[in-house]
Amino acid sequence: MSAEPQNNIRNFSIVAHIDHGKSTLADRLIQLTGGLQDREMQEQVLDSMDIERERGITIKAQTVRLSYLAKDGQTYILNLMDTPGHVDFAYEVSRSLAACEGSLLVVDASQGVEAQTLANVYQALDNNHEIVPVLNKIDLPAAEPERVKEQIEEVIGLDASDAVPISAKTGLGIDLVLEAIVTRLPPPKGDREAPLKAMLVDSWYDVYLGVVVLVRIVDGVLKKGMKIRLMGTGAAYDVDKVGVFTPKMRDVAELGPGEIGFLTGSIKEVADTRVGDTITEEKRQTKEMLPGFKPAQPVVFCGLFPVDAADFEDLRAAMGKLRLNDASFSYEMETSAALGFGFRCGFLGLLHLEIIQERLEREFNLDLIATAPSVIYKIEMTNGDVIELHNPADMPDVVKIEQISEPWIQATILTPDEYLGAVLKLCQDRRGVQSELSYVGSRAMVVYDLPLNEVVFDFYDRLKSISKGYASFDYHITEYRPGDLVKMSILVNAEPVDALSMLVHRTRAEARGRAMCEKLKELIPPHLFVIPVQAALGGKIIARETIRALRKDVTAKCYGGDATRKRKLLEKQKAGKKKLRQFGRVEIPQEAFIAALKMDE
């Protein structure tokens, strides 16, 4: 099979807010073009991970090549990229968009434009995409297609008069979508005779083939047996196999300009194939590299420790394997007095953290504890050095610190009017600064500047609960600002518990500390001696709770007789408790750690 005529290729991605029906639309497109027979079809066919299926979200962007016989009698090759909708995986979206010329913007006809819809559309516009609006779920009784069209025009500024009305679930209007893709999206540009220039869109590890690399050819031709060079890393490989996904892998002889496909070449590690790198031919190299992507910056850090210290080596191996498939996840070793050996890991956000933790527990049968999530702080020392602080436990001496800066984000929140008050109060409580408030139909759009450290904790959950799930939220990091931040340590029986220490704003320290102590008082079981639980800033105790001792009745066997005998036994017990309190270890159960970290305000 030779490469297709370029004018008959369409590369497009589907962008939308979470749950507006991207993956279901992708299913219908695959079904209608005969990519899979009916017996092979399943719901969300492109979401291959178990977690994606259970949670009904897309995490990895997936690609399919479909062939479609249009009404004008020509056969078109459609390369579809299904992208994630969740804010933590925004960088997956950005690289999928860079490989396409157009996007289908899917908007739920009953819910309208949401925060993530905006974020993803702006990304598509930054990549100069042609955008076709699609109104999904028009078979719902609550659907208001006309109102949503107005909303698209108002908020995004896209002409939505010829938006395609569909129901991806029932398959209504899918043929119109295919026609719109063919007629309204542009074919790719590219020169077949030029030296090979291809963009590395994604890579993952396959047990049989080694690393599989997803590429988008810009210029030139990629053939089997060619020797290629990755320009970013400088490594060279022989291509063993070139092919496309129809969702099943299928080998082809070559890929021409504008096509999206995969190659394998006995590459050992995914770390060698950087996303956004430029692939060229070893003999005829292209002059300049493609612009590529910013590497994904981890935003949230937390420690992961095995519950059973003997599992440490298994955890290390599991992390290595996960890192093979997810380049945005980074980790380094750390030790903790309370938890033993573990890893300090960086994630793109809380959902990413939760999913990595779940994959480690599920795919590798590990029991893990995660410490409190924290963000990267920049600390200016008095001698002029600037250091990055990932873990509050490593904070340098206060005397040497000039100032601490924390990352701030710009958050866009869309919420129905009746929850606006609660949403504003939540942002205000989290030290937010409001920058704008406007109305989109009956919904309010609020833009806030918020410190990231207040958001990573449980902001998203709280926002969902106060708005009954209707508010949507999107953010990006804007800058670092100096703040009055202090390190709060938690002491149990006068011993600091490093896994619970955190950096907080001075104004919030006391409330945070008190809540933490109260929580731990409920969670730590009583011992035979009194245990003080304290929160401290440096040497100053700001909150304290006391866990009462379990009391064994030592005088039970004395019936009648002399009072001095009883007193003697009680004195002996008291001395024993005093000694215990000096040398006794307080066992903090795992559940207590986890529950204390999930602290509600």
Side-chain angles (χ1 to χ4, degrees):
M1 171 187 145
S2 70
E4 294 301 320
Q6 230 167 294
N7 285 341
N8 288 12
I9 300 176
R10 297 288 182 272
N11 296 325
F12 67 99
S13 57
I14 304 182
V15 294
H17 187 74
I18 313 155
D19 280 348
H20 280 199
K22 291 182 293 295
S23 299
T24 315
L25 175 59
D27 289 355
R28 291 299 154 273
L29 293 172
I30 292 170
Q31 210 169 352
L32 200 66
T33 52
L36 289 174
Q37 286 139 8
D38 285 349
R39 66 185 171 79
E40 298 168 304
M41 252 342 258
Q42 50 176 353
E43 296 273 308
Q44 274 90 33
V45 82
L46 296 181
D47 292 347
S48 47
M49 281 193 269
D50 298 344
I51 298 187
E52 292 187 309
R53 304 194 141 283
E54 277 167 34
R55 293 181 173 224
I57 55 177
T58 305
I59 296 169
K60 296 291 290 173
Q62 298 286 359
T63 331
V64 198
R65 173 187 177 120
L66 308 169
S67 84
Y68 169 60
L69 180 62
K71 290 183 181 158
D72 59 9
Q74 297 195 36
T75 302
Y76 289 88
I77 292 293
L78 310 179
N79 287 312
L80 150 70
M81 290 226 171
D82 183 20
T83 61
H86 201 281
V87 59
D88 285 9
F89 307 112
Y91 95 111
E92 284 277 343
V93 179
S94 68
R95 62 190 197 195
S96 310
L97 294 177
C100 302
E101 283 81 35
S103 314
L104 296 182
L105 165 66
V106 179
V107 181
D108 181 330
S110 58
Q111 290 188 323
V113 177
E114 300 271 356
Q116 220 89 54
T117 321
L118 283 173
N120 291 344
V121 168
Y122 291 145
Q123 269 189 325
L125 291 170
D126 287 346
N127 285 309
N128 302 323
H129 274 206
E130 190 61 44
I131 297 178
V132 175
V134 175
L135 299 183
N136 191 12
K137 310 194 189 182
I138 56 161
D139 54 335
L140 290 182
E144 305 173 76
E146 291 311 313
R147 185 180 68 79
V148 173
K149 279 183 190 177
E150 279 173 28
Q151 217 180 1
I152 293 177
E153 290 177 2
E154 253 178 63
V155 184
I156 305 173
L158 269 182
D159 175 22
S161 54
D162 48 1
V164 186
I166 63 162
S167 160
K169 195 168 165 194
T170 59
L172 176 76
I174 302 295
D175 48 341
L176 300 173
V177 176
L178 287 164
E179 281 299 318
I181 292 167
V182 170
T183 51
R184 288 160 61 178
L185 297 183
K189 301 181 180 63
D191 178 5
R192 207 183 154 80
E193 305 309 315
L196 173 68
K197 182 197 248 181
M199 180 167 74
L200 198 157
V201 183
D202 199 1
S203 55
W204 61 93
Y205 190 77
D206 181 287
V207 189
Y208 304 109
L209 302 169
V211 177
V212 180
V213 178
L214 185 67
V215 291
R216 154 73 205 261
I217 313 290
V218 181
D219 290 326
V221 183
L222 176 69
K223 293 192 183 77
K224 195 174 161 176
M226 205 179 217
K227 191 166 178 121
I228 54 164
R229 175 177 282 275
L230 301 177
M231 295 175 81
T233 50
Y237 300 101
D238 290 318
V239 179
D240 300 337
K241 177 173 170 149
V242 175
V244 294
F245 292 101
T246 64
K248 301 193 282 277
M249 281 182 148
R250 197 182 85 214
D251 292 8
V252 296
E254 58 172 55
L255 290 171
E259 292 195 84
I260 297 178
F262 69 87
L263 67 94
T264 63
S266 50
I267 305 171
K268 305 284 186 298
E269 289 227 2
V270 174
D272 303 338
T273 54
R274 285 218 311 269
V275 166
D277 204 345
T278 307
I279 299 176
T280 187
E281 194 180 349
E282 177 70 7
K283 296 198 290 287
R284 292 172 58 200
Q285 294 196 11
T286 174
K287 306 277 187 299
E288 73 271 7
M289 289 176 61
L290 294 161
F293 303 104
K294 298 196 288 286
Q297 289 294 327
V299 177
V300 180
F301 284 82
C302 89
L304 287 179
F305 294 86
V307 169
D308 177 2
D311 291 343
F312 176 70
E313 282 306 321
D314 297 346
L315 177 63
R316 177 191 298 223
M319 292 229 172
K321 285 181 183 152
L322 252 180
R323 173 100 178 103
L324 283 178
N325 276 11
D326 188 348
S328 55
F329 159 62
S330 56
Y331 63 92
E332 56 192 38
M333 251 190 76
E334 76 167 348
T335 58
S336 139
L339 301 169
F341 286 99
F343 291 95
R344 186 95 197 146
C345 310
F347 305 95
L348 301 173
L350 285 190
L351 180 72
H352 189 205
L353 180 156
E354 207 176 309
I355 278 169
I356 293 268
Q357 193 179 346
E358 198 167 318
R359 284 183 68 183
L360 286 169
E361 289 178 348
R362 183 181 294 191
E363 293 170 27
F364 304 97
N365 295 329
L366 295 164
D367 279 338
L368 301 175
I369 315 171
T371 62
S374 73
V375 297
I376 307 177
Y377 299 95
K378 291 195 172 146
I379 298 185
E380 283 178 41
M381 310 296 279
T382 42
N383 63 4
D385 291 354
V386 176
I387 56 172
E388 286 195 347
L389 178 73
H390 294 194
N391 187 352
D394 306 334
M395 178 132 156
D397 194 356
V398 191
V399 201
K400 297 178 181 161
I401 296 176
E402 187 65 45
Q403 66 170 10
I404 307 177
S405 307
E406 56 177 342
W408 279 64
I409 61 171
Q410 187 181 45
T412 309
I413 301 171
L414 281 156
T415 171
D417 201 23
E418 61 263 36
Y419 308 115
L420 179 62
V423 170
L424 294 179
K425 183 176 182 310
L426 174 70
C427 295
Q428 231 48 64
D429 289 349
R430 298 295 168 102
R431 323 203 313 263
V433 181
Q434 184 177 325
S435 60
E436 61 177 281
L437 170 61
S438 55
Y439 274 85
V440 182
S442 63
R443 296 176 52 209
M445 180 167 122
V446 204
V447 181
Y448 255 91
D449 289 338
L450 284 156
L452 184 63
N453 107 7
E454 300 282 345
V455 175
V456 296
F457 225 55
D458 54 355
F459 182 83
Y460 193 65
D461 301 345
R462 310 276 303 184
L463 180 70
K464 284 291 182 205
S465 62
I466 59 178
S467 66
K468 303 205 171 37
Y470 282 113
S472 61
F473 166 68
D474 180 65
Y475 67 87
H476 58 270
I477 293 184
T478 47
E479 58 178 352
Y480 273 80
R481 296 187 195 171
D484 185 8
L485 299 165
V486 285
K487 176 181 167 187
M488 181 173 83
S489 3
I490 301 288
L491 310 171
V492 174
N493 202 19
E495 289 287 314
V497 181
D498 53 359
L500 293 176
S501 62
M502 53 170 109
L503 278 182
V504 290
H505 198 263
R506 198 181 291 275
T507 55
R508 305 285 304 278
E510 205 167 307
R512 262 283 164 78
R514 186 165 294 130
M516 203 71 158
C517 291
E518 283 168 9
K519 191 109 180 197
L520 284 169
K521 180 183 179 182
E522 292 162 23
L523 295 165
I524 298 177
H527 288 50
L528 287 168
F529 50 96
V530 174
I531 305 173
V533 178
Q534 297 159 316
L537 301 181
K540 180 182 168 205
I541 304 293
I542 53 171
R544 165 175 172 144
E545 291 287 337
T546 308
I547 299 171
R548 291 185 49 189
L550 284 171
R551 180 158 173 258
K552 183 184 172 197
D553 190 359
V554 283
T555 58
K557 61 181 189 291
C558 306
Y559 48 95
D562 192 4
T564 53
R565 255 184 86 193
K566 289 187 182 173
R567 192 176 307 123
K568 189 172 153 195
L569 286 169
L570 287 167
E571 294 289 333
K572 193 172 164 192
Q573 183 187 30
K574 199 168 162 188
K577 287 205 171 177
K578 192 171 169 187
K579 190 172 171 191
L580 249 182
R581 189 151 146 209
Q582 273 174 332
F583 303 109
R585 291 284 314 274
V586 178
E587 290 299 321
I588 304 179
Q590 282 338 171
E591 300 81 68
F593 262 111
I594 296 165
L597 299 176
K598 287 199 168 138
M599 196 178 78
D600 281 330
E601 304 269 313

